[in-house]
Amino acid sequence: PAHALSLSGDYKYNLLMDGTVVIEGYIGKANTLYIPAYMNGKPVSKIGRNAFQRCYSLQTVHIPDGVTQIDFNAFGYCRNLTSVKLPDSLTSIGDNAFYDCYSLTSVTIPDSVARIGQNAFYNCKALTSVHIPNSVAEIGAGAVHTYAYTEKSDKAIRSEVSFLRLWCPRATVVYECVI
């Protein structure tokens, strides 16, 4: 970041050298959150490390077009988050980005995404649907991992893993895709 941390409403942010903004923190208590596309006239390009970590009030998040990256643990431990709308501009979902989001039920990864980091959706216990497009070239270890359906037979679990792999044929690393 090029400048000291700034505040706009409930958001803490930094201005990057390229003139775009990275959101570094959130101090609000919204249940439904539409992250702004601009902060003080500058486009938001990135959700920073730990920016929304442990925001227990969050249930629904809409990330605006223009955001290309969600960093490490950006929404980690948002245990009431049930829904997230990812933008078509997104190219990278960082390690642990949605770690321990217990209530998240489904995720549709946009066609623009090339990388899903390690443990990105780890321990999302309610997760029943994940769509990973052909554009994803790298999926980190444990990217989609939950213990929610351990009562299912091995055959059912293997079938779901095959389904996930079918939707991400270019993936270079798939260690654990168990839902």
Side-chain angles (χ1 to χ4, degrees):
H3 302 283
L5 201 60
S6 298
L7 188 64
S8 178
D10 290 333
Y11 299 92
K12 297 175 185 178
Y13 71 94
N14 269 312
L15 185 62
L16 300 173
M17 296 294 275
D18 66 1
T20 66
V21 166
V22 56
I23 294 177
E24 301 282 8
Y26 177 71
I27 56 174
K29 300 284 185 204
N31 298 114
T32 298
L33 186 65
Y34 288 84
I35 296 173
Y38 293 87
M39 294 277 175
N40 292 330
K42 304 292 183 184
V44 174
S45 65
K46 191 172 168 182
I47 307 297
R49 180 183 190 99
N50 302 322
F52 294 89
Q53 179 187 32
R54 299 185 196 281
C55 286
Y56 298 124
S57 64
L58 286 181
Q59 295 173 5
T60 302
V61 173
H62 299 267
I63 301 172
D65 245 356
V67 170
T68 59
Q69 188 173 341
I70 298 173
D71 273 354
F72 177 87
N73 209 30
F75 293 93
Y77 306 97
C78 291
R79 294 187 171 154
N80 295 310
L81 184 64
T82 59
S83 172
V84 63
K85 169 69 173 88
L86 301 174
D88 290 334
S89 56
L90 191 64
T91 59
S92 178
I93 299 172
D95 296 351
N96 295 28
F98 295 92
Y99 189 95
D100 259 0
C101 289
Y102 291 168
S103 303
L104 192 61
T105 58
S106 69
V107 177
T108 298
I109 309 295
D111 290 336
S112 54
V113 172
R115 178 184 180 274
I116 301 172
Q118 286 188 176
N119 302 322
F121 297 96
Y122 191 90
N123 208 25
C124 294
K125 294 178 178 184
L127 197 59
T128 58
S129 174
V130 180
H131 173 84
I132 301 173
N134 290 340
S135 62
V136 176
E138 179 186 348
I139 299 177
V144 180
H145 188 269
T146 180
Y147 295 103
Y149 298 101
T150 53
E151 73 277 3
K152 288 186 178 181
S153 71
D154 286 343
K155 182 178 178 186
I157 290 171
R158 278 197 304 275
S159 172
E160 290 171 342
V161 171
S162 295
F163 174 77
L164 273 176
R165 288 186 182 183
L166 177 67
W167 283 102
C168 52
R170 292 184 53 216
T172 54
V173 181
V174 180
Y175 289 93
E176 299 176 30
C177 277
V178 178
I179 64 170

